[in-house]
Amino acid sequence: MKTFTYEKARDPAQAAALAASHKDAKFIAGGTNLLDLMKIEVETPAHLIDVNGLGLDTITPTQDGGLRIGALVRNTDLAADAQVRRDYPVLTRALVAGASGQLRNKATTAGNLLQRTRCPYFYDTAQACNKRTPGAGCAAQTPGAVSRQLGVIGTSAACIATHPSDMAVGLRVLDAVVETILPDGSRREIPIETFHKLPGQTPHIENALQPGEFITAVSLPAPVGGAQSYRKLRDRASYAFALISVALIRHPDGSGRVALGGVAPKPWRLQAADDQLPNGASAVMATLLEHANPTAANAFKIELAERTLAAMLAEE
């Protein structure tokens, strides 16, 4: 691990200002992903800004009947919140599917959104990775590469990594909004739909945040109702990232929403695919994964996603 300096922010505005004033600064709260990456020198921040203790660890109702989730709410507390369990059960189920109980006790709402890919070539500093070193190449797309866990849609010649968050898939199907503060003290709201970026030719740009911009909360709209479920398929029963995951909201008239995890660089959802729900899983996936470009090793994800959605619909 490379040396770094450290300080604690006293409020969100100062946190953003400090990040903008220090080259290669990073925020740290739970540290469940950042510290691992620092140990292997994939992340090498020169300055850490501790954002614990800023009062962003509460869940409060909004005026429109939704919820505002503080950026520092721990995953365990969010999953267990009575109103989340009652009105947004898909989010509780997504959270519980992620990581382990010990990690959920430390991981935060904002940190979960910002976690880095688990692509093995990103973690191996001896391998070429455009996400880690822009312009280096993508070892995951070379002959003989291991790509079973990697993306099938939304990828590019520069990167086929997936976003690892289960929580983000739940937030995407709920149309959450990310609230932030910028170094100049101004605030903005970023729809979860546009928060995570596709790789294109710049896979190192993973989200819509500007330099120094600090997440303060995630807001949920008023409950949409319906039967809500989340199913995650993985290579082992716990502490493993998704091969595919499906977040489903289903209404009695057959309408609803579908979002996928484990298949793309961001939670994957299309309105046109939602519109196909009354026509069944095959119609949904034909639209949702229409432009899929899998490798030989992960093409199975397309059929797996369809079969998973079909099983979930059959249980409604």
Side-chain angles (χ1 to χ4, degrees):
M1 182 184 289
K2 293 189 175 181
T3 59
F4 57 89
T5 53
Y6 167 92
E7 66 183 309
K8 287 182 68 72
R10 64 174 179 267
D11 56 53
Q14 191 204 29
L18 287 172
S21 65
H22 287 83
K23 184 180 180 181
D24 297 327
K26 289 281 186 180
F27 302 116
I28 186 167
T32 57
N33 187 206
L34 177 60
L35 291 176
D36 284 344
L37 292 173
M38 289 174 65
K39 291 173 185 177
I40 58 176
E41 296 188 3
V42 169
E43 291 272 18
T44 56
H47 189 68
L48 287 185
I49 302 165
D50 189 335
V51 295
N52 288 293
L54 301 187
L56 302 176
D57 57 354
T58 59
I59 302 170
T60 56
T62 61
Q63 291 185 344
D64 64 358
L67 284 182
R68 177 169 288 107
I69 304 161
L72 299 177
V73 173
R74 265 44 186 185
N75 286 178
T76 294
D77 296 331
L78 180 57
D81 181 83
Q83 190 167 350
V84 173
R85 293 176 64 188
R86 182 185 71 237
D87 295 335
Y88 309 96
V90 66
L91 180 56
T92 287
R93 290 167 181 162
L95 284 159
V96 171
S100 65
Q102 295 92 331
L103 285 173
R104 292 194 297 270
N105 288 342
K106 294 292 291 182
T108 63
T109 300
N112 195 306
L113 282 176
L114 296 175
Q115 64 180 301
R116 311 294 304 275
T117 183
R118 267 45 177 205
C119 173
Y121 300 98
F122 172 74
Y123 269 73
D124 186 349
T125 56
Q127 301 286 341
C129 176
N130 289 314
K131 187 180 286 292
R132 190 182 63 246
T133 307
C138 179
Q141 299 186 76
T142 58
V146 178
S147 58
R148 173 179 167 80
Q149 290 277 353
L150 303 180
V152 300
I153 196 165
T155 57
S156 72
C159 183
I160 60 171
T162 58
H163 194 274
S165 172
D166 290 287
M167 183 194 79
V169 182
L171 292 176
R172 178 67 186 92
V173 84
L174 291 168
D175 287 331
V177 174
V178 181
E179 301 179 9
T180 71
I181 186 168
L182 286 91
D184 64 3
S186 62
R187 297 176 182 269
R188 68 170 179 151
E189 298 182 347
I190 308 170
I192 191 71
E193 177 182 4
T194 59
F195 181 79
H196 295 105
K197 298 294 186 182
L198 295 180
Q201 295 305 306
T202 56
H204 59 290
I205 301 175
E206 298 178 348
N207 56 63
L209 295 176
Q210 299 175 16
E213 190 169 7
F214 177 61
I215 297 174
T216 56
V218 173
S219 60
L220 298 176
V224 296
Q228 301 184 17
S229 55
Y230 185 83
R231 186 165 297 182
K232 177 178 181 178
L233 279 72
R234 43 193 163 179
D235 283 329
R236 59 178 184 266
S238 65
Y239 199 57
F241 294 94
L243 289 170
I244 67 104
S245 61
V246 181
L248 173 65
I249 298 176
R250 181 81 159 162
H251 297 293
D253 63 0
S255 65
R257 306 175 181 184
V258 178
L260 297 183
V263 299
K266 60 187 290 184
W268 198 250
R269 181 181 167 210
L270 298 174
Q271 181 61 54
D274 289 352
D275 294 340
Q276 290 295 325
L277 260 173
N279 300 319
S282 295
V284 171
M285 290 304 166
T287 303
L288 196 57
L289 299 176
E290 179 181 4
H291 300 294
N293 184 31
T295 69
N298 65 21
F300 72 92
K301 288 189 175 189
I302 296 172
E303 183 177 0
L304 186 62
E306 181 179 332
R307 289 188 176 197
T308 301
L309 178 60
M312 295 170 75
L313 291 174
E315 293 174 358
E316 293 297 334

